[in-house]
Amino acid sequence: MIKSLIYEWKTIARERWLSVLFLLFFGCTLFAVRNGREHVGDRAAAIDKARHEQEVAEEATRFEIDSIARGLKRYEQSWLDPRMLSVYGQRMGRVVAMDPQPLAFVSTGQSDLFTHYTKPKLYGEAYALGFSELSNPVKLLFGSFDLAFVCIYLLPLLVVAFSYNVLSAERESGSLRLTLAQPISVFGWLLRKFMVRFVALAAVVVGSMMLAFLMMGLGLPHGTVRMVAVILSYAFFWFALSFWVNVTGKSSGSNAVKLMSAWIVVVLLLPAIIGQLATQLYPVPSRINMIHQYRVAEAEADKRASEILKTYYRDHPELARQDSSQPNRYQFWIEYFASIDLIKEAVMPVVDRYNRQLASQQAWVDQWRFASPAILLQDALTDLSGTSARHYSDFRQQVIAYADAWRSYFMPRMFRNEWMTTEALDQLPRHTYQSQHVRSSFLIDLLVMVLAAIGVLAAGWVTFRRLSTEQLLAG
Amino acid sequence: MLQASNLSKFYGHTVALHPLNLTVQRGEIYCLLGANGAGKTTTINLFLNFIQPTDGSALVAGIDVVARPEESKAKLAYIPENLMLYPNLSGLENVDYFSALARQRYSRDELTAFLTQAGLQEEAHDKRISTYSKGMRQKVGIAIALAKKAEALLLDEPTSGLDPKASNEFSELLKKMSQRGVATLMATHDLFRAKETGTHLGIMKEGRLVEQLTTDQINHTDLEKLYLKHMN
């Protein structure tokens, strides 16, 4: 048994063109990892820069507020005075960033569609943030040359090249006759041949990746084991499919055509169709339309500002000042805050529709991802990379929540006609990116992939049972 | 050792093999003669369980080849007309590999001994099969049969395409095997070689065994006459 495995390995290892193929795969892996690392590096650098600028600006402003408080400096124009809550809240919005996960370089996912940090302000269209007609989760699945691309697209081709003729080549060369004259279970013998190839390919894939990671100075990021597991289960699926095609007992040419057709369907057609249907069935409202509606509502609210404010005070008596002898220096803003709810109300239907459509799109894709192992792998890898549509949707919610927190900090203080102080600076709300509560689909993806592979293998077994030795030899 | 009882094979209405009764004892070399399509290969394929008999049975050492194929194949060695081995492996490695499939383990020295017995020159043992001539490959086939400790040998036109010297060497090897008690069933077109090597002769025509005799009953000229009489 072990001896036949060793000889199987020897025959593979002595094929020169396979070494060439594997070198090519390693080259692709290295290039993909380099691209991914660069992409993530840019993203992290942009966030770091924004954070650093924020720190510098906050320190300078703290110094300035302190100087003004000590009477060392004063501003003639109130709209420049950093003690004005409106000035601070609008100008000094804090960075809300989506920090890259350790495996972010593996899959670009949606990361080239969205910004990874923003600075919510007092005034503005926080609700329109991240709205995009491009956010279809599948459409841009395979946009860039990253590790996910190499695995989803190229790995199956390698598996096919490596295994399409395992049985047919033996028949075509004639050695099958001698093999079938031996006291062996042909199914077991063929399975062993596939097993050796799977192990060899797994070693090459894992070896290429680890080497590329080390060469790119990435070490072994958290989640690497899970990533390798899902990639190998994808390779397992393709081997199982190739096994099935092999045991139909047809010629090498026929096997190659069948497997290439399977590749086209699984990797190209199904994802394209599912993605296309997602946008056709659940079109997302246009972003332009959304912003337009937001501004119309704003303008409308502006016109009726004093009337709106009166109603607002009636609803929020706690915000009315006891001492109204002096005019509130934030009068414009107070009217704006009073109208925010109205603006929200006007925009909400569009926002809701957007959210609903996006959720429906996501649900559709989530549900249909089981139709193609390529989508499953893509889902699992973006899940591990933190670049899935779910992650960006969650980040959008985090931004909205933070924008609300920021506004809620300033609003009551502005109604009370207060100033910004250095003590207050330390109490301003902060945002820390968290991805833990994004629902992970990794385990289901992995499980379904393995089950699919086993199912295909079982189908191969059934096909094999129906095949007589005569058919096996005749082709 | 090899026994066919009313063994037949039909493809629809076409008869590939009429009920055949044939026995090859230990140490006998039974040569099947006949034109192409006479049923020689069909008979061998039936003994190998490569095709299912329509009726009757084929026994190897008393084991039914359909009911217990793995056991019967353990006792058989087979050399087809054009023996194809793994071109990327050396002669020695091929013998080792096929022995492993037949659940036999040998040291390198033992494997070398099998190849030497089969007449393969020592310097070729470690060269890849892709560099071998047909005669050399047939010798590796014999070495595989020796290593397998086969009790029965099935040969399908093993000497066709071999030069006279190689063909003669091959026949000598078959005789040696038969002296060890191996039962051989060989399909061949070579009347001369059949008469020289074989102990028994059978002439087949259109799926029927039309003549059986022992080689000592007949000389070369009469064998040719007899053969042509059946063919015409």
mmCIF file of all heavy atoms in Angstrom, chain A residues 435-457:
data_model
loop_
_atom_site.group_PDB
_atom_site.id
_atom_site.type_symbol
_atom_site.label_atom_id
_atom_site.label_comp_id
_atom_site.label_asym_id
_atom_site.label_seq_id
_atom_site.Cartn_x
_atom_site.Cartn_y
_atom_site.Cartn_z
ATOM 1 N N SER A 435 -15.201 44.027 14.949
ATOM 2 C CA SER A 435 -15.839 43.221 13.902
ATOM 3 C C SER A 435 -16.426 41.942 14.477
ATOM 4 O O SER A 435 -16.970 41.121 13.752
ATOM 5 C CB SER A 435 -14.803 42.866 12.825
ATOM 6 O OG SER A 435 -13.780 42.082 13.403
ATOM 7 N N GLN A 436 -16.289 41.782 15.792
ATOM 8 C CA GLN A 436 -16.704 40.507 16.406
ATOM 9 C C GLN A 436 -18.181 40.190 16.186
ATOM 10 O O GLN A 436 -18.550 39.032 16.062
ATOM 11 C CB GLN A 436 -16.452 40.501 17.918
ATOM 12 C CG GLN A 436 -14.997 40.420 18.291
ATOM 13 C CD GLN A 436 -14.394 41.809 18.413
ATOM 14 O OE1 GLN A 436 -14.789 42.733 17.693
ATOM 15 N NE2 GLN A 436 -13.439 41.966 19.302
ATOM 16 N N HIS A 437 -19.007 41.237 16.167
ATOM 17 C CA HIS A 437 -20.432 40.940 16.081
ATOM 18 C C HIS A 437 -20.927 40.771 14.646
ATOM 19 O O HIS A 437 -22.111 40.582 14.435
ATOM 20 C CB HIS A 437 -21.248 41.995 16.837
ATOM 21 C CG HIS A 437 -20.912 43.381 16.410
ATOM 22 N ND1 HIS A 437 -19.917 44.117 17.006
ATOM 23 C CD2 HIS A 437 -21.407 44.143 15.423
ATOM 24 C CE1 HIS A 437 -19.816 45.285 16.415
ATOM 25 N NE2 HIS A 437 -20.708 45.324 15.440
ATOM 26 N N VAL A 438 -20.002 40.832 13.678
ATOM 27 C CA VAL A 438 -20.418 40.522 12.307
ATOM 28 C C VAL A 438 -20.613 39.009 12.239
ATOM 29 O O VAL A 438 -19.719 38.249 12.600
ATOM 30 C CB VAL A 438 -19.353 40.951 11.280
ATOM 31 C CG1 VAL A 438 -19.779 40.556 9.876
ATOM 32 C CG2 VAL A 438 -19.125 42.435 11.356
ATOM 33 N N ARG A 439 -21.782 38.613 11.813
ATOM 34 C CA ARG A 439 -22.097 37.186 11.780
ATOM 35 C C ARG A 439 -21.146 36.478 10.820
ATOM 36 O O ARG A 439 -21.041 36.831 9.656
ATOM 37 C CB ARG A 439 -23.544 37.014 11.303
ATOM 38 C CG ARG A 439 -24.053 35.594 11.304
ATOM 39 C CD ARG A 439 -25.525 35.588 10.912
ATOM 40 N NE ARG A 439 -25.741 36.254 9.614
ATOM 41 C CZ ARG A 439 -25.527 35.682 8.443
ATOM 42 N NH1 ARG A 439 -25.076 34.459 8.382
ATOM 43 N NH2 ARG A 439 -25.743 36.327 7.322
ATOM 44 N N SER A 440 -20.438 35.476 11.332
ATOM 45 C CA SER A 440 -19.476 34.776 10.482
ATOM 46 C C SER A 440 -20.126 33.572 9.813
ATOM 47 O O SER A 440 -20.842 32.809 10.443
ATOM 48 C CB SER A 440 -18.293 34.306 11.319
ATOM 49 O OG SER A 440 -17.499 33.453 10.540
ATOM 50 N N SER A 441 -19.868 33.449 8.514
ATOM 51 C CA SER A 441 -20.460 32.330 7.786
ATOM 52 C C SER A 441 -19.394 31.292 7.463
ATOM 53 O O SER A 441 -19.625 30.356 6.737
ATOM 54 C CB SER A 441 -21.078 32.859 6.490
ATOM 55 O OG SER A 441 -20.102 33.596 5.791
ATOM 56 N N PHE A 442 -18.217 31.491 8.057
ATOM 57 C CA PHE A 442 -17.083 30.647 7.691
ATOM 58 C C PHE A 442 -17.332 29.151 7.883
ATOM 59 O O PHE A 442 -17.113 28.347 6.973
ATOM 60 C CB PHE A 442 -15.836 31.074 8.472
ATOM 61 C CG PHE A 442 -14.677 30.169 8.239
ATOM 62 C CD1 PHE A 442 -13.911 30.300 7.099
ATOM 63 C CD2 PHE A 442 -14.381 29.139 9.121
ATOM 64 C CE1 PHE A 442 -12.861 29.446 6.853
ATOM 65 C CE2 PHE A 442 -13.335 28.274 8.883
ATOM 66 C CZ PHE A 442 -12.580 28.432 7.743
ATOM 67 N N LEU A 443 -17.800 28.800 9.083
ATOM 68 C CA LEU A 443 -17.942 27.366 9.380
ATOM 69 C C LEU A 443 -18.952 26.687 8.471
ATOM 70 O O LEU A 443 -18.728 25.575 8.009
ATOM 71 C CB LEU A 443 -18.333 27.167 10.849
ATOM 72 C CG LEU A 443 -17.157 27.271 11.815
ATOM 73 C CD1 LEU A 443 -17.617 27.142 13.250
ATOM 74 C CD2 LEU A 443 -16.081 26.229 11.495
ATOM 75 N N ILE A 444 -20.048 27.405 8.198
ATOM 76 C CA ILE A 444 -21.062 26.826 7.302
ATOM 77 C C ILE A 444 -20.469 26.649 5.911
ATOM 78 O O ILE A 444 -20.637 25.607 5.273
ATOM 79 C CB ILE A 444 -22.314 27.730 7.249
ATOM 80 C CG1 ILE A 444 -22.944 27.779 8.644
ATOM 81 C CG2 ILE A 444 -23.311 27.236 6.221
ATOM 82 C CD1 ILE A 444 -24.125 28.677 8.764
ATOM 83 N N ASP A 445 -19.734 27.662 5.458
ATOM 84 C CA ASP A 445 -19.108 27.582 4.133
ATOM 85 C C ASP A 445 -18.195 26.363 4.044
ATOM 86 O O ASP A 445 -18.243 25.598 3.087
ATOM 87 C CB ASP A 445 -18.290 28.851 3.844
ATOM 88 C CG ASP A 445 -19.178 30.066 3.661
ATOM 89 O OD1 ASP A 445 -20.391 29.868 3.466
ATOM 90 O OD2 ASP A 445 -18.678 31.197 3.721
ATOM 91 N N LEU A 446 -17.372 26.218 5.077
ATOM 92 C CA LEU A 446 -16.411 25.108 5.090
ATOM 93 C C LEU A 446 -17.144 23.771 5.088
ATOM 94 O O LEU A 446 -16.819 22.866 4.316
ATOM 95 C CB LEU A 446 -15.511 25.222 6.322
ATOM 96 C CG LEU A 446 -14.443 24.143 6.485
ATOM 97 C CD1 LEU A 446 -13.437 24.196 5.352
ATOM 98 C CD2 LEU A 446 -13.720 24.300 7.816
ATOM 99 N N LEU A 447 -18.151 23.706 5.945
ATOM 100 C CA LEU A 447 -18.893 22.447 6.087
ATOM 101 C C LEU A 447 -19.578 22.062 4.772
ATOM 102 O O LEU A 447 -19.478 20.924 4.309
ATOM 103 C CB LEU A 447 -19.928 22.601 7.205
ATOM 104 C CG LEU A 447 -20.630 21.329 7.615
ATOM 105 C CD1 LEU A 447 -19.663 20.440 8.396
ATOM 106 C CD2 LEU A 447 -21.851 21.636 8.474
ATOM 107 N N VAL A 448 -20.247 23.049 4.165
ATOM 108 C CA VAL A 448 -20.972 22.764 2.920
ATOM 109 C C VAL A 448 -19.998 22.359 1.816
ATOM 110 O O VAL A 448 -20.263 21.451 1.031
ATOM 111 C CB VAL A 448 -21.820 23.986 2.493
ATOM 112 C CG1 VAL A 448 -22.432 23.763 1.124
ATOM 113 C CG2 VAL A 448 -22.907 24.247 3.515
ATOM 114 N N MET A 449 -18.846 23.022 1.800
ATOM 115 C CA MET A 449 -17.850 22.704 0.776
ATOM 116 C C MET A 449 -17.394 21.252 0.917
ATOM 117 O O MET A 449 -17.324 20.509 -0.071
ATOM 118 C CB MET A 449 -16.647 23.629 0.944
ATOM 119 C CG MET A 449 -15.699 23.578 -0.211
ATOM 120 S SD MET A 449 -15.993 24.934 -1.313
ATOM 121 C CE MET A 449 -15.041 26.210 -0.518
ATOM 122 N N VAL A 450 -17.077 20.860 2.147
ATOM 123 C CA VAL A 450 -16.612 19.487 2.381
ATOM 124 C C VAL A 450 -17.728 18.500 2.037
ATOM 125 O O VAL A 450 -17.484 17.481 1.376
ATOM 126 C CB VAL A 450 -16.138 19.310 3.841
ATOM 127 C CG1 VAL A 450 -15.845 17.850 4.137
ATOM 128 C CG2 VAL A 450 -14.900 20.158 4.102
ATOM 129 N N LEU A 451 -18.943 18.827 2.452
ATOM 130 C CA LEU A 451 -20.069 17.930 2.152
ATOM 131 C C LEU A 451 -20.278 17.804 0.642
ATOM 132 O O LEU A 451 -20.530 16.713 0.125
ATOM 133 C CB LEU A 451 -21.343 18.435 2.824
ATOM 134 C CG LEU A 451 -21.393 18.240 4.335
ATOM 135 C CD1 LEU A 451 -22.689 18.804 4.901
ATOM 136 C CD2 LEU A 451 -21.256 16.767 4.710
ATOM 137 N N ALA A 452 -20.155 18.945 -0.056
ATOM 138 C CA ALA A 452 -20.325 18.918 -1.511
ATOM 139 C C ALA A 452 -19.280 18.002 -2.138
ATOM 140 O O ALA A 452 -19.582 17.188 -3.020
ATOM 141 C CB ALA A 452 -20.203 20.333 -2.080
ATOM 142 N N ALA A 453 -18.049 18.123 -1.654
ATOM 143 C CA ALA A 453 -16.967 17.286 -2.199
ATOM 144 C C ALA A 453 -17.254 15.813 -1.931
ATOM 145 O O ALA A 453 -17.106 14.968 -2.824
ATOM 146 C CB ALA A 453 -15.632 17.699 -1.579
ATOM 147 N N ILE A 454 -17.704 15.513 -0.719
ATOM 148 C CA ILE A 454 -17.998 14.121 -0.382
ATOM 149 C C ILE A 454 -19.163 13.609 -1.243
ATOM 150 O O ILE A 454 -19.137 12.474 -1.725
ATOM 151 C CB ILE A 454 -18.312 13.987 1.123
ATOM 152 C CG1 ILE A 454 -17.030 14.248 1.924
ATOM 153 C CG2 ILE A 454 -18.864 12.600 1.453
ATOM 154 C CD1 ILE A 454 -17.226 14.309 3.425
ATOM 155 N N GLY A 455 -20.146 14.491 -1.449
ATOM 156 C CA GLY A 455 -21.288 14.127 -2.289
ATOM 157 C C GLY A 455 -20.843 13.775 -3.706
ATOM 158 O O GLY A 455 -21.283 12.776 -4.285
ATOM 159 N N VAL A 456 -19.948 14.612 -4.257
ATOM 160 C CA VAL A 456 -19.461 14.369 -5.614
ATOM 161 C C VAL A 456 -18.668 13.060 -5.667
ATOM 162 O O VAL A 456 -18.782 12.272 -6.602
ATOM 163 C CB VAL A 456 -18.591 15.563 -6.088
ATOM 164 C CG1 VAL A 456 -17.896 15.247 -7.399
ATOM 165 C CG2 VAL A 456 -19.452 16.801 -6.250
ATOM 166 N N LEU A 457 -17.897 12.826 -4.612
ATOM 167 C CA LEU A 457 -17.118 11.589 -4.525
ATOM 168 C C LEU A 457 -18.058 10.378 -4.492
ATOM 169 O O LEU A 457 -17.806 9.359 -5.156
ATOM 170 C CB LEU A 457 -16.282 11.623 -3.247
ATOM 171 C CG LEU A 457 -14.918 10.941 -3.257
ATOM 172 C CD1 LEU A 457 -14.067 11.415 -4.417
ATOM 173 C CD2 LEU A 457 -14.203 11.196 -1.933
#
